[in-house]
Amino acid sequence: MKATDIKKVACAATGVIGSSWATNFAMKGYPVNVYDISEEKLESSRIFVEKNLNYLKEKGLLTQQQVDDAIANVVYTTDPEVAFHDVQYIQESGPENYEIKKKMLAVMEEYAPADAIIASSTSGLKVSEIAKDAKHPERCVGAHPYNPPHMIPLVEVTRPENASEESAQCAYDFYKLLGKEPILLKKEALGFIANRLQIALWREATELVHRGVCTVEDIDRSIVFGPGLRWALIGPGIGFQLSGGPVGIEGLLHHLEPSWNLWLDDMADWHAFPYETWPADVQKGIDEEKANRDEYYGQTDDEIIRYRDDALLQLLKIHKKL
Ligand SMILES: NC(=O)c1ccc[n+]([C@@H]2O[C@H](COP(=O)([O-])OP(=O)(O)OC[C@H]3O[C@@H](n4cnc5c(N)ncnc54)[C@H](O)[C@@H]3O)[C@@H](O)[C@H]2O)c1
C-alpha cells in the first residue's frame, strides 16, 4: 500500500494519545473511526477532540468550517467491526502492556482488511513481540508520537524484523503527508530514540535529587532555561558543534574529554528506578514546583497545558511546521 491509498483511519483506544491522534487525522481531513472498550472513554475522547479542534480554531489555524467538517468526520464506536472494517490505517494507542496490545491486535486483525497497516503508538515496547502471533505481522509497525501528537511533529517509525519494508515506508510517508517529522529507525530498539534519551536524563535527575544536590524543580528549571531552549531549535549535536567554535564538535570532544570522562565516572549507572519511594517523592517535588510557578507560566495542570500549547505553536511556526 502507498500512503496516498490511505483514505480512512481508525484510532484504536482513545486515552491521552489516541484522542490526540484522532484530532490530528481529523484536522487533516481524514475520516476517523475512534474505538475504545467503554462508552465513557469514547465520550471523554469526543470532548477532548472537540476541545483540541476549537483551540486550533481560536489560534487561527483552522476555520469554523474545518472544525465542523473534522467533527463530522469522526465516528466513535465500541464495535470493532464498525471501527476497523473499512480503514486502510490503524493507529493503536492502547495501554503500554504486551498482553493488552496483543489482544487488541487480534481484534483489529479479525475485522480490518488484511492489508491495512497497524501502527502502534507504544512508547518503547518491541512491536516484533506485540506482533509475534499476528496473522499478518508484515503490516505491523511502530509509530511512536510525542505528547500531544496533534501538535508535536516527531513520530519514530520502526520496522520490526517481521514487518515488511513496504509497510514501514508507507507509515513513514503517511506521517510526512500529515506534515509530521517522522524518523525511520534502522532497527528496532526498546524505547526508540527519544525515550531512551529522556530516560537517561531522568535517571541522572533522580540521582541528583537523591544525592541532595538539587530539587525536582531545579531539574526542570535547569532544562527549561538552559539546554532545553537550544534543544528545541538545533538539537544537542549541532549545539555541541557551535559550542566548539572554530574547532567544531570534534575539537570540543577532545577539549572536554578529561571532564566528560570524570563526570561519566561519577554519574548514575544503576538499572532500576527506586520505585519504593521515588514516585511519591517526585510527586511531592512537582507539587511544590507547581505552587512556586509564577501565574504567567500556569500553576494548575490545565493552565500549564495552555501555556505549553500557546508557546509550542510559536515554536512550530518558527520550524515551519504549521
Ligand atoms: N502518554 C504519553 O505521553 C505517551 C506518549 C507517547 C506514546 N504513548 C503510548 O501510547 C499508548 C497509550 O498511552 P496513553 O497515555 O494514551 O494511555 P491511556 O491510559 O490514557 O489510554 C489507554 C486507553 O486504552 C483503552 N483500552 C484499554 N484496553 C483496551 C482494549 N482492550 N481495547 C481498546 N482500548 C482499550 C482504555 O480504555 C484507554 O482509553 C501507550 O502505548 C503509551 O506508551 C504515550
Side-chain angles (χ1 to χ4, degrees):
M1 176 164 346
K2 291 200 222 68
T4 46
D5 296 330
I6 297 168
K7 306 291 179 208
K8 193 167 188 179
V9 182
C11 288
T14 63
V16 176
I17 295 302
S19 302
S20 179
W21 268 127
T23 309
N24 200 138
F25 298 129
M27 77 193 207
K28 292 290 176 182
Y30 286 87
V32 190
N33 293 337
V34 169
Y35 168 79
D36 208 298
I37 44 175
S38 90
E39 292 290 350
E40 203 187 335
K41 290 280 181 184
L42 289 176
E43 179 54 13
S44 40
S45 178
R46 190 187 59 73
I47 292 167
F48 194 54
V49 168
E50 294 186 9
K51 189 173 162 199
N52 290 340
L53 292 167
N54 282 317
Y55 172 75
L56 295 171
K57 184 194 74 181
E58 182 196 318
K59 292 289 161 187
L61 296 166
L62 294 176
T63 62
Q64 184 62 52
Q65 188 60 51
Q66 286 170 314
V67 172
D68 293 344
D69 290 347
I71 289 173
N73 253 343
V74 186
V75 169
Y76 298 88
T77 181
T78 52
D79 181 341
E81 185 170 8
V82 173
F84 305 126
H85 80 284
D86 62 347
V87 300
Q88 295 79 42
Y89 200 89
I90 303 175
Q91 184 81 42
E92 172 273 304
S93 308
E96 187 76 349
N97 172 299
Y98 277 122
E99 286 322 303
I100 299 178
K101 285 196 188 289
K102 281 180 186 183
K103 278 189 194 144
M104 286 182 68
L105 181 55
V107 173
M108 293 183 268
E109 288 211 295
E110 189 178 340
Y111 295 102
D115 61 347
I117 308 276
I118 301 179
S120 177
S121 298
T122 175
S123 295
L125 298 177
K126 283 198 165 169
V127 180
S128 53
E129 174 61 27
I130 297 170
K132 204 169 68 178
D133 305 318
K135 278 193 264 177
H136 296 289
E138 71 282 353
R139 42 79 170 267
C140 300
V141 298
H144 173 239
Y146 254 66
N147 188 38
H150 67 283
M151 294 184 74
I152 304 263
L154 177 65
V155 187
E156 297 175 297
V157 178
T158 48
R159 179 172 85 83
E161 277 165 23
N162 36 12
S164 71
E165 239 172 80
E166 191 198 348
S167 300
Q169 191 61 48
C170 175
Y172 176 90
D173 293 343
F174 184 46
Y175 296 116
K176 273 268 180 201
L177 266 184
L178 290 164
K180 313 302 283 181
E181 186 73 24
I183 295 175
L184 185 52
L185 271 67
K186 293 183 180 150
K187 54 163 80 167
E188 226 182 351
L190 278 168
F192 310 121
I193 304 170
N195 271 347
R196 292 177 78 106
L197 297 176
Q198 278 212 118
I199 293 304
L201 188 144
W202 195 238
R203 174 168 63 182
E204 193 50 35
T206 307
E207 178 78 11
L208 288 169
V209 174
H210 271 180
R211 282 194 200 176
V213 175
C214 61
T215 63
V216 175
E217 179 180 358
D218 294 332
I219 298 287
D220 273 350
R221 287 172 56 232
S222 77
I223 297 297
V224 169
F225 297 105
L229 285 171
R230 292 200 316 224
W231 288 343
L233 299 167
I234 54 176
I238 296 286
F240 283 147
Q241 166 67 20
L242 302 184
S243 296
V247 293
I249 190 168
E250 189 177 355
L252 181 84
L253 295 189
H254 285 304
H255 176 66
L256 290 177
E257 181 186 350
S259 284
W260 282 15
N261 285 340
L262 275 178
W263 303 347
L264 272 186
D265 209 32
D266 188 51
M267 282 164 69
D269 61 359
W270 36 263
H271 290 106
F273 279 95
Y275 264 89
E276 322 75 57
T277 52
W278 179 233
D281 286 353
V282 82
Q283 184 64 62
K284 192 164 166 268
I286 291 290
D287 292 344
E288 282 164 11
E289 174 177 348
K290 279 165 62 179
N292 287 340
R293 282 171 76 88
D294 187 280
E295 266 179 40
Y296 169 80
Y297 300 111
Q299 288 172 326
T300 66
D301 288 357
D302 280 347
E303 288 165 0
I304 297 171
I305 287 172
R306 179 85 190 189
Y307 171 74
R308 178 199 67 188
D309 290 353
D310 286 355
L312 256 177
L313 288 180
Q314 296 187 44
L315 270 177
L316 290 171
K317 270 184 204 147
I318 291 169
H319 282 296
K320 297 189 172 172
K321 285 288 175 195
L322 281 179

